Amino acid sequence: MKRVYLDHNSTTPLRAEVRELLFATLDELGGNPSSVHASGRRARHLLDQARERAAAALGVHEDELIFTSGGTESNNLALHGVLAAAKPGAGLVTTAIEHSSVLEPAEALARGGRLVEFVGVDRAGRLDPDLVVARAAACSAALVSVMTANNEVGMLLPVAEIARTKARAWRFHTDAVQALGRVELRLAEWGIDLASFSMHKLGGPVGVGVLYHRKGVDLAPLARGGGQEGGLRPGTENVAGIVASALALELAVRERAELAQRLARLSQSLWSELHAALPHLQLVGPALEGDARLPGTLNLLAAHVDGKVLVTRLDLAGLEVSAGSACASGSLEPSHVLLALGFTRDEARAALRLSLGRSTSSEDVHNVVETLRKILG
């Protein structure tokens, strides 16, 4: 049985050239990059080179990148770090459809006494930027955090428009984990202050993330115990993982336009065939045509079906998909994103996410349609 993997929003296969560099670097390394002896200096050189390459790919200065363990740590450092450095009484504005690694820190900040505003979206997942700006003014926000691309449904949010707000008194952070490599990002031009990335979404290794931290933005560390990463992320850096990740990032940015076009075509083909074979399926979020949706992400509702049960049945049939965010895959709760879009709890439990990636082929699309037709037809 040929298996089909359509869960690229959860993680992506490690690219062959990235794997090769990862193991070659592991074989070469012998020192701590904070040590002053020859082995340590070599490790430091590799780390500095990787930082320069990653910064060049993102179009920012190397001193503005903080290496972390992933998108979750980057999001936590951005939210807690900015608010810890902010004046008492300053608030936070975010959206109701963020990843849990933004929502849960936001809720923790609220429990700690910070005023936190969660802005809603409409049925298609559209966010009103004027409402975000108004809420930021109302709560004297120190930070506004809005994701670039939603991981469950795939809608793109107006981060450039919000970040470009004139005479704003707050900092702007975006969780760009799903966007990097599929959507054009212009961090400096748009006025983004902080942005979170995760390398295993790009064909890089698990356990490496990046927080873009623009110069001049006050940020307090989450942990203490060392001066690494400008004192903002203490602990010995994962040099081999970072070196390999810099290559994955470079390749993702270089190939972005071509990949986005191919994923858009495959997604449209997949939905067209599915809709013809299973007309009762409902596509959640914006239309696949146009520029409002993340290329390669489809969220479908199948009436009177439990999404998690369906995922198991599809897995047994050789199709690997998800019922929402991988970080919440063990939860019995319906998707908070679909609830925010106005779906009922039963409808939200019926969600099925198909996320395509670099390795997805036209043959995979055909096999997906046939598998779903047999199980849901």
Side-chain angles (χ1 to χ4, degrees), residues 221-306:
L222 287 180
R224 289 173 171 80
Q228 294 90 345
E229 299 304 302
L232 292 170
R233 206 278 183 171
T236 302
E237 292 95 342
N238 175 9
V239 177
I242 290 169
V243 168
S245 293
L247 174 59
L249 200 163
E250 284 180 325
L251 293 171
V253 171
R254 184 186 310 160
E255 299 168 358
R256 180 200 61 79
E258 180 182 352
L259 176 64
Q261 290 177 3
R262 192 172 70 83
L263 291 181
R265 288 195 301 269
L266 286 173
S267 298
Q268 292 169 20
S269 175
L270 175 57
W271 172 238
S272 177
E273 292 187 36
L274 278 174
H275 189 57
L278 300 164
H280 62 281
L281 282 181
Q282 178 181 350
L283 178 67
V284 180
L288 290 172
E289 302 79 8
D291 56 3
R293 181 185 284 270
L294 182 70
T297 301
L298 290 81
N299 194 295
L300 309 174
L301 293 186
H304 311 301
V305 173
D306 185 296

Side-chain angles (χ1 to χ4, degrees), residues 280-361:
H280 62 281
L281 282 181
Q282 178 181 350
L283 178 67
V284 180
L288 290 172
E289 302 79 8
D291 56 3
R293 181 185 284 270
L294 182 70
T297 301
L298 290 81
N299 194 295
L300 309 174
L301 293 186
H304 311 301
V305 173
D306 185 296
K308 291 182 173 59
V309 173
L310 180 57
V311 166
T312 301
R313 293 181 63 191
L314 292 172
D315 184 39
L316 293 173
L319 174 56
E320 298 178 344
V321 297
S322 71
S325 172
C327 297
S329 61
S331 172
L332 296 177
E333 289 299 309
S335 163
H336 71 278
V337 176
L338 269 69
L339 293 178
L341 267 61
F343 291 94
T344 67
R345 295 178 70 85
D346 285 342
E347 288 172 331
R349 287 193 181 94
L352 186 71
R353 184 183 70 182
L354 312 180
S355 51
L356 291 63
R358 195 173 61 89
S359 60
T360 306
S361 67

Side-chain angles (χ1 to χ4, degrees), residues 26-343:
L26 284 169
D27 287 340
E28 178 183 352
L29 283 175
N32 187 315
S34 296
S35 299
V36 297
H37 49 61
S39 294
R41 293 197 304 272
R42 176 57 180 161
R44 171 58 57 183
H45 176 68
L46 292 173
L47 180 62
D48 290 344
Q49 277 190 325
R51 195 185 309 274
E52 291 171 5
R53 293 172 64 184
L58 292 170
V60 300
H61 194 276
E62 58 264 28
D63 291 343
E64 296 177 314
L65 296 188
I66 303 167
F67 289 117
T68 69
S69 63
T72 293
E73 184 184 356
S74 294
N75 284 336
N76 273 266
L77 178 54
L79 269 64
H80 283 291
V82 170
L83 270 297
K87 64 183 180 181
L92 166 69
V93 174
T94 188
T95 80
I97 59 171
E98 300 293 316
H99 189 270
S100 58
S101 60
V102 167
L103 291 180
E104 292 186 23
E107 291 163 356
L109 287 164
R111 291 193 296 271
R114 291 286 185 179
L115 181 58
V116 178
E117 294 274 357
F118 297 93
V119 181
V121 295
D122 68 11
R123 184 79 168 189
R126 289 183 293 258
L127 176 71
D128 182 352
D130 293 333
L131 180 58
V132 173
V133 173
R135 294 284 185 88
C139 74
S140 301
L143 182 67
V144 171
S145 180
V146 177
M147 67 191 340
T148 307
N150 182 264
N151 54 303
E152 290 193 32
V153 174
M155 50 275 198
L156 300 178
L157 299 162
V159 295
E161 186 174 349
I162 297 170
R164 284 171 169 159
T165 300
K166 293 179 179 171
R168 58 179 169 91
W170 33 268
R171 301 301 189 183
F172 184 77
H173 164 257
T174 186
D175 173 355
V177 165
Q178 295 294 339
L180 184 58
R182 287 189 280 177
V183 175
E184 186 175 23
L185 297 172
R186 299 180 182 177
L187 303 177
E189 180 183 326
W190 293 346
I192 304 291
D193 295 304
L194 304 111
S196 302
F197 306 103
S198 181
M199 298 303 103
H200 74 95
K201 309 292 187 178
L202 310 174
V206 173
V208 181
V210 173
L211 178 65
Y212 163 68
H213 169 226
R214 188 172 62 79
K215 290 181 180 180
V217 175
D218 291 336
L219 191 68
L222 287 180
R224 289 173 171 80
Q228 294 90 345
E229 299 304 302
L232 292 170
R233 206 278 183 171
T236 302
E237 292 95 342
N238 175 9
V239 177
I242 290 169
V243 168
S245 293
L247 174 59
L249 200 163
E250 284 180 325
L251 293 171
V253 171
R254 184 186 310 160
E255 299 168 358
R256 180 200 61 79
E258 180 182 352
L259 176 64
Q261 290 177 3
R262 192 172 70 83
L263 291 181
R265 288 195 301 269
L266 286 173
S267 298
Q268 292 169 20
S269 175
L270 175 57
W271 172 238
S272 177
E273 292 187 36
L274 278 174
H275 189 57
L278 300 164
H280 62 281
L281 282 181
Q282 178 181 350
L283 178 67
V284 180
L288 290 172
E289 302 79 8
D291 56 3
R293 181 185 284 270
L294 182 70
T297 301
L298 290 81
N299 194 295
L300 309 174
L301 293 186
H304 311 301
V305 173
D306 185 296
K308 291 182 173 59
V309 173
L310 180 57
V311 166
T312 301
R313 293 181 63 191
L314 292 172
D315 184 39
L316 293 173
L319 174 56
E320 298 178 344
V321 297
S322 71
S325 172
C327 297
S329 61
S331 172
L332 296 177
E333 289 299 309
S335 163
H336 71 278
V337 176
L338 269 69
L339 293 178
L341 267 61
F343 291 94

